[in-house]
Amino acid sequence: MRLAPVFATAATAAFLALGCASTALASTGAAHEATAELAEQGRMLGQRATKAYLMTLQGVSPDAGRSILADSVSRFERNLAALRAGKLDDSARAKLAAVDSTWIEVRALLTAAPSASGAKALYDSTAALDQASQHLVMAINDRGPEESRRLILASRMRMLSQRIAMHYLYRASGLMTPNAPQMELTYARSEFAANLSRSTQNNAFPAETREAVAKLAGIWPAYQGAAGKTGEPVAMLRNAPAVMEMSEQVLGATDKVVGSLLAPAR
């Protein structure tokens, strides 16, 4: 089976799904929920960009990697601009400033020519960006209505879909001892599975969301299994194109879950 055409289709579908979600959010009156969603996307986009950086560095579907990297960086910056222009209280604006300053460092690494030193630096810098973005989300939700928190679980699964792929490539890279990326990979897969189980059992979800969750549950096992096959870097890199393809498919499916939760507010 030739993976490249399938991967390109999956990546394009994810780009379209994510782009449509942002457009839809901009047209709603649910300003708080839209702001929280933009901040939540930052957690996923930072790790998706680093995944793509590693793809190009390691020669894993490099054309797709370059496209994903450019798309992720562009979308992160558009979201930051929208958040800067939005209505945030002093606490959230301080957290946004922390995201801004951390992003400057991460962006410089992402947009430089891929290198082993850059990948090593991104390991910590991407984690710092994820933490700063999480603090921003928490600050935005702190004074928001209770219903705005309905996105948290689905948004976290969306982020985890990229954390899994990113740490799979770090584990396969041989750039560092395998213990840390192996632990992160194991934890991310376990948490995604637990969150998906909780979602499938939530009968309070609207019908559209239950359908989106069911579709996600149908494609998740293949990704979970493929990303769990660790071992020698050579073998992992041989399987990496399929794992990266699945990461984009699961990303698109989780984004549809998020979009279905936002739909009632539109």
Side-chain angles (χ1 to χ4, degrees), residues 71-90:
D71 177 78
S72 299
V73 169
S74 175
R75 291 193 60 241
F76 196 105
E77 297 206 312
R78 289 202 306 271
N79 288 359
L80 266 184
L83 287 165
R84 290 190 205 104
K87 294 182 179 179
L88 299 176
D89 62 22
D90 290 344

Side-chain angles (χ1 to χ4, degrees), residues 249-264:
Q249 292 172 345
V250 171
L251 171 59
T254 53
D255 198 66
K256 287 181 180 178
V257 176
V258 174
S260 70
L261 289 168
L262 287 164

Side-chain angles (χ1 to χ4, degrees), residues 155-196:
S155 295
R156 185 160 182 82
M157 285 193 292
R158 181 175 58 187
M159 176 275 294
L160 288 168
S161 75
Q162 301 309 288
R163 180 175 288 179
I164 289 166
M166 180 182 75
H167 283 295
Y168 180 94
L169 290 179
Y170 269 121
R171 172 68 173 77
S173 70
L175 293 170
M176 57 189 73
T177 58
N179 296 346
Q182 178 68 60
M183 180 183 68
E184 293 285 358
L185 175 58
T186 300
Y187 184 81
R189 289 171 61 246
S190 176
E191 185 183 355
F192 191 107
N195 290 351
L196 180 57

Side-chain angles (χ1 to χ4, degrees), residues 54-76:
L54 294 170
M55 288 171 65
T56 60
L57 175 64
Q58 297 177 34
V60 176
S61 303
D63 289 343
R66 283 187 286 270
S67 294
I68 293 169
L69 178 56
D71 177 78
S72 299
V73 169
S74 175
R75 291 193 60 241
F76 196 105

Side-chain angles (χ1 to χ4, degrees), residues 41-57:
Q41 284 184 33
R43 303 191 66 199
M44 174 275 293
L45 287 168
Q47 292 176 73
R48 185 174 183 242
T50 298
K51 172 193 81 173
Y53 179 98
L54 294 170
M55 288 171 65
T56 60
L57 175 64

Side-chain angles (χ1 to χ4, degrees), residues 233-249:
V234 172
M236 290 185 69
L237 287 174
R238 189 163 53 243
N239 295 329
V243 176
M244 297 306 108
E245 177 188 327
M246 292 177 201
S247 77
E248 289 293 295
Q249 292 172 345

